[in-house]
Amino acid sequence: MADYDVIICGAGSGGGFLAGEIAPFGSVLILDAGPHVKGAPNPGFGSPDRRKFATQINMGTYGPDGVNAINRGGAFFAYPLYTDDSNPASFAVLREARVVGGGSFVNVGAWLRPLAVDFVDFAKETGVVGWTKQDLEPHFQKAERILFVHRDHRDQWQRASVLYEKTALALGIPVFETASNRHRCIFCGHRVDAGMPCKYDALMSTAITQIPKALDNGAQLVDNATVVRVEISNNKATGVTYIKDGQTVTANARKLVVVSAGAIGTPLVLRNSGVHLINNNVGKFLRAHPGITMDAFIPGVQWNSDRGYQWNCHHYVMDDAGKPMDALVHASTAFPVTPWLAANVGTFGKPYKDLMRLYPFRIGVFVFHLKPGFTGKVMGSVEAPFVRYPILGPNGDVDPKMLRDLTASIRQVGRIFQEMGAIAVLPGPNVADQLLINDLALRLPIAGVFHDQGTCRAGADRKTSVVDSNCMSHDIANLMCCDASVIPKDISCNSNSMVMAVASKCSNFVITQILGRQLKEEEEPANV
């Protein structure tokens, strides 16, 4: 049985980032349920193995198996997501990355930080300390240096994004440039949705940045390893049991076990380990961002839609008083994903590119609802997960706050599209309120959710949280959670930047307080 100072379960945005920072200071074992797609990082070109991997994803080689979309598949988890309390037997599929690099390996490359109000809400919600905007600023900057975060030059924007920004500003809607962690992107347009890896290594995931750094500093990585449980003795984490190639293996951790399996996977591992019997907050307070696409047909100009899913700018939907609502609009999504599109050609590769070229006048946006008025729960086990997130109530009604914000989003984005010259917009922004409500009630439960967070949240009191302000378990010594599960309350942005800032904060704690080493002197702050 091998011994390590630290065992990290999950090599995504949280665990992968943490591994790269702490590996120079102690012995580290990294476990991940998915494959490690190897090859020296080569942004703009890609390694042969990653190019092949991306192509196989599109061909379905790594799609989840099993007719019930359970927690299986070579490169993706597919959790059953119950969103409709009026029809408890129905479920959607919550797809999560199952690959070294995790969500950072398949996200869209948009880099947004939380709003100032989010940091204030963290303390209000759980009493967490050391999580203010000022506290986390150096950690955001560190992540942004490592991930080459930048803003694209305007000549690299899609034409649709340029006109969308100009039109929205003319209507009095504040629009912001969206930073990106794509490095040497060739804007190939071969991927449309978050969930498809970049075959040219342009997406600066932890698989391209932090994992190679960890391995260069002596960390050991075991891929395709399903963590069964954290070994706990006398209320102290002592190791991890995992399954690799059908064999059950236990590894010992001398100083720390880190569970970084995401907001769904982490509570499942803790439930397998019995931690939920000690702290009933494990798996509770699931928050997420339900999303919808909107698209428009605007004739007269070819909009460069075949350049792909760029998300050059974003804005928050404004109410009648000119104040931002809890809805975030990303423009442009180029050629938005619809069930028809996915069923006919998929969302990746040459068939998708050919279809985009048939419709050069089609553009779109993606809308996230940021702070629904309810929370969900993760239940079950690693082997049989169960995720409840009640978008629709017992009477089939959409959460009122979500309904208000998304209805306003459709009308406001529709107005922007129409000012741009759209001849058709979907969903229709000018229909009667009840028709729009009915449309959303149909779309939202099957669209799934994004940026799940908060299921093992950090806080000052174990009565309302699972881990403390340093992300250490309130109840089990030598146990840390480090991923989106620890976020205390909803954030007003994509979760990637927040998770990496938390991982940077955790790395400082692990290096100084767990491994007993001194931090290296920081570089100059990033200019982002």
Side-chain angles (χ1 to χ4, degrees):
M1 225 183 310
D3 288 9
Y4 302 86
D5 289 331
V6 181
I7 299 177
I8 301 175
C9 307
S13 299
F17 193 97
L18 179 72
E21 296 303 295
I22 70 171
F25 300 94
S27 60
V28 177
L29 171 65
I30 309 165
L31 302 170
D32 197 273
H36 180 210
V37 191
K38 299 180 180 179
N42 192 5
F45 296 90
S47 75
D49 282 351
R50 276 187 291 274
R51 291 173 70 132
K52 179 180 177 182
F53 177 78
T55 301
Q56 289 174 323
I57 290 283
N58 183 52
M59 293 172 64
T61 306
Y62 294 122
D65 57 26
V67 295
N68 293 320
I70 58 173
N71 181 16
R72 296 291 184 270
F76 294 105
F77 296 105
Y79 300 108
L81 175 68
Y82 292 85
T83 59
D84 185 354
D85 278 357
S86 69
N87 185 7
S90 69
F91 64 88
V93 174
L94 175 57
R95 191 172 72 163
E96 299 284 346
R98 185 176 187 165
V99 62
V100 172
S104 73
F105 193 78
V106 300
N107 68 35
V108 82
W111 185 275
L112 280 71
R113 292 190 188 185
L115 298 178
V117 67
D118 297 337
F119 299 97
V120 175
D121 286 345
F122 293 161
K124 288 181 179 179
E125 181 79 3
T126 66
V128 68
V129 297
W131 284 58
T132 67
K133 187 176 186 296
Q134 182 177 4
D135 291 328
L136 288 170
E137 177 64 23
H139 300 294
F140 281 106
Q141 291 196 17
K142 177 193 282 187
E144 287 158 2
R145 288 193 297 271
I146 291 171
L147 270 74
F148 297 89
V149 174
H150 67 286
R151 302 190 192 280
D152 291 330
H153 296 295
R154 291 304 178 95
D155 59 1
Q156 295 174 324
W157 281 31
Q158 288 174 334
R159 295 190 186 108
S161 298
V162 175
L163 182 57
Y164 188 97
E165 178 193 49
K166 179 180 179 181
T167 305
L169 289 172
L171 292 172
I173 301 168
V175 178
F176 308 93
E177 295 182 53
T178 303
S180 171
N181 61 306
R182 297 184 306 268
H183 181 47
R184 297 179 184 167
C185 180
I186 62 174
F187 304 105
C188 65
H190 272 277
R191 63 185 296 267
V192 61
D193 67 335
M196 294 295 177
C198 172
K199 66 191 298 182
Y200 302 115
D201 285 359
L203 184 60
M204 294 289 98
S205 67
T206 57
I208 301 298
T209 55
Q210 295 291 78
I211 295 297
K213 183 164 67 174
L215 297 179
D216 287 346
N217 281 281
Q220 301 296 307
L221 170 63
V222 180
D223 66 351
N224 295 306
T226 298
V227 172
V228 176
R229 63 183 174 273
V230 176
E231 297 297 333
I232 298 172
S233 177
N234 296 321
N235 282 345
K236 179 180 178 180
T238 60
V240 173
T241 294
Y242 62 94
I243 297 174
K244 165 77 172 177
D245 297 330
Q247 302 295 312
T248 301
V249 181
T250 298
N252 291 331
R254 289 185 288 266
K255 298 183 177 182
L256 183 67
V257 172
V258 182
V259 184
S260 297
I264 308 301
T266 286
L268 292 173
V269 171
L270 296 189
R271 287 179 65 86
N272 270 34
S273 310
V275 180
H276 67 300
L277 301 175
I278 304 170
N279 188 319
N280 66 4
N281 293 305
V282 171
K284 292 173 66 176
F285 308 111
L286 170 64
R287 291 180 164 101
H289 295 160
I292 60 169
T293 55
M294 291 187 64
D295 58 316
F297 292 84
I298 305 179
V301 175
Q302 295 194 14
W303 296 108
N304 296 131
S305 291
D306 59 352
R307 298 188 75 186
Y309 210 63
Q310 285 188 236
W311 287 13
N312 301 122
C313 59
H314 63 278
H315 66 89
Y316 296 88
V317 175
M318 312 300 287
D319 66 15
D320 292 339
K323 295 182 179 180
M325 303 176 78
D326 289 323
L328 173 65
V329 180
H330 282 286
S332 132
T333 62
F335 204 73
V337 178
T338 65
W340 170 82
L341 174 67
N344 280 275
V345 299
T347 56
F348 191 87
K350 187 176 185 301
Y352 167 71
K353 290 278 286 186
D354 288 343
L355 190 66
M356 282 195 290
R357 292 176 180 130
L358 287 176
Y359 296 94
F361 308 131
R362 186 179 185 218
I363 66 170
V365 302
F366 210 107
V367 184
F368 289 125
H369 189 255
L370 303 171
K371 300 187 179 184
F374 59 90
T375 63
K377 189 173 183 180
V378 176
M379 296 170 281
S381 63
V382 170
E383 299 77 14
F386 181 96
V387 184
R388 179 178 177 270
Y389 190 76
I391 291 174
L392 297 185
N395 296 323
D397 298 327
V398 179
D399 167 61
K401 183 175 186 298
M402 185 189 306
L403 188 63
R404 181 180 66 251
D405 291 358
L406 288 182
T407 299
S409 301
I410 291 169
R411 298 209 188 284
Q412 190 162 97
V413 171
R415 184 183 175 200
I416 295 170
F417 279 152
Q418 289 165 345
E419 289 290 323
M420 291 169 65
I423 59 173
V425 179
L426 296 171
N430 300 320
V431 300
D433 286 346
Q434 191 57 53
L435 290 177
L436 196 51
I437 290 169
N438 293 343
D439 193 353
L440 285 170
L442 291 173
R443 288 173 181 265
L444 285 167
I446 62 173
V449 298
F450 305 86
H451 315 145
D452 31 282
Q453 55 200 264
T455 51
C456 295
R457 63 188 189 175
D461 190 342
R462 66 177 303 278
K463 293 179 181 178
T464 57
S465 58
V466 175
V467 298
D468 66 18
S469 298
N470 294 311
C471 298
M472 298 294 291
S473 168
H474 285 300
D475 306 284
I476 306 298
N478 292 2
L479 177 62
M480 170 182 276
C481 297
C482 179
D483 53 30
S485 72
V486 304
I487 299 173
K489 201 176 186 301
D490 326 65
I491 52 175
S492 302
C493 63
N494 305 29
S495 54
N496 196 40
S497 68
M498 183 68 203
V499 173
M500 292 196 184
V502 169
S504 173
K505 172 182 168 63
C506 287
S507 71
N508 285 3
F509 179 84
V510 172
I511 291 166
T512 60
Q513 304 303 310
I514 303 295
L515 299 176
R517 304 288 295 276
Q518 289 187 331
L519 291 170
K520 295 179 180 178
E521 187 175 345
E522 281 294 327
E523 303 171 19
E524 290 298 313
N527 182 18
V528 179

